[in-house]
Amino acid sequence: MYNLLISLGVGIAVALGIKLLGYSLWAGLIPGTLAFAFTFILLARRVAKRIQALMDSVQKEFATQATHQKEAQQKVERAVKTLEQGLVYDKWQLMVGPELHAQIGMLKYMVKDLDGAQAHFAKSGPRNYMAKAMEGALHYQRKNFTAMEASFEAAVKTGKKESVIWAAYAWCLLQNKDKDKALKVLARAVQTNPTDEKLKGSLTQLQNDKRLKMKPYEPTWWQFGLEAPPMPTMGGGGGGGRRVQFINRR
């Protein structure tokens, strides 16, 4: 917001300056508009560069996988503190605050800090579909099914190409014993994504009265924390456990 006001001020000052030189106000309109646009872009890029530096720092934090839950918690705490530094730009640039709150909410959600996650999700915007889907899963866990559906509807509106979001929505509805709604959600998903074989398979499973299998949506599905990932087999390699990772919105 501050960037917008500063840019408007610069544009108006240029337009009035040209008028003071003896020209008409209309003559200063185009230079004033150009000054406004140039200033706004310059200030926006400055904020974006600083936010990107914070994002890069968080990405480095999760470049290595945590070996145990305590380490994962520590990684998330450090990442959250890093992202919180960017909240100072909330009043400077539009959409910065909602996106940072969405990212923080997802990180807190994935380490089961549901109260903290819900507080940040409430301040996030609808553009981050993964955050809205996780908010829906959070409401499901708290048995607030009206809010759950509202969050998932927002998620599939902006993330309509993300099959795991549709599947998670249907899974939560099924757990709430609302198969009819789950079928309608998956039917909408297939209609929106007619070439997605995973969604077609999920819809067929429900139509044939079979259990909705979420394996096709792994490992992203595990980030919702609604089902536990399989434990590694004896003598096998790694792969068990839910890796906490930073999610970027496309």
Side-chain angles (χ1 to χ4, degrees), residues 36-220:
F36 160 76
F38 177 79
T39 303
F40 185 77
I41 292 172
L42 185 66
L43 293 175
R45 285 181 175 177
R46 184 179 68 172
V47 171
K49 187 175 181 180
R50 294 178 180 179
I51 296 298
Q52 187 58 53
L54 296 176
M55 296 288 190
D56 291 343
S57 179
V58 172
Q59 291 283 13
K60 290 179 181 178
E61 183 67 58
F62 293 106
T64 57
Q65 186 171 355
T67 57
H68 49 78
Q69 182 62 31
K70 184 176 180 180
E71 183 183 355
Q73 181 71 44
Q74 292 171 341
K75 281 178 172 289
V76 167
E77 289 175 356
R78 289 193 294 268
V80 167
K81 288 181 179 179
T82 298
L83 291 176
E84 285 176 342
Q85 296 175 33
L87 291 175
V88 298
Y89 300 109
D90 183 20
K91 294 181 179 180
W92 285 87
Q93 186 66 31
L94 297 174
M95 301 308 299
V96 166
E99 180 60 23
L100 287 174
H101 281 297
Q103 299 288 358
I104 293 171
M106 287 189 289
L107 288 170
K108 286 181 174 289
Y109 177 85
M110 286 192 288
V111 290
K112 297 297 185 182
D113 180 3
L114 299 188
D115 289 335
Q118 186 169 1
H120 284 282
F121 284 148
K123 298 177 182 178
S124 67
R127 295 173 67 243
N128 193 315
Y129 48 79
M130 186 59 76
K132 297 306 293 183
M134 286 188 176
E135 183 182 45
L138 187 156
H139 287 311
Y140 160 76
Q141 293 175 71
R142 293 189 160 174
K143 303 186 183 304
N144 187 345
F145 301 118
T146 300
M148 177 199 83
E149 291 187 37
S151 293
F152 271 118
E153 285 296 330
V156 297
K157 183 177 181 180
T158 55
K160 58 186 179 182
K161 297 298 182 182
E162 295 295 326
S163 58
V164 67
I165 295 176
W166 291 100
Y169 188 4
W171 187 94
C172 289
L173 288 169
L174 277 176
Q175 300 306 305
N176 194 32
K177 303 186 184 306
D178 201 336
K179 182 180 177 180
D180 288 341
K181 279 188 178 180
L183 280 167
K184 289 178 181 178
V185 164
L186 287 176
R188 287 165 53 200
V190 171
Q191 184 178 18
T192 305
N193 303 279
T195 61
D196 193 313
E197 296 301 325
K198 292 186 292 186
L199 288 172
K200 288 181 181 178
S202 295
L203 178 59
T204 300
Q205 287 169 13
L206 290 197
Q207 289 173 334
N208 293 330
D209 293 323
K210 295 182 179 179
R211 184 174 66 88
L212 180 59
K213 298 179 181 179
M214 299 301 288
K215 187 174 178 58
Y217 307 100
E218 297 173 359
T220 306

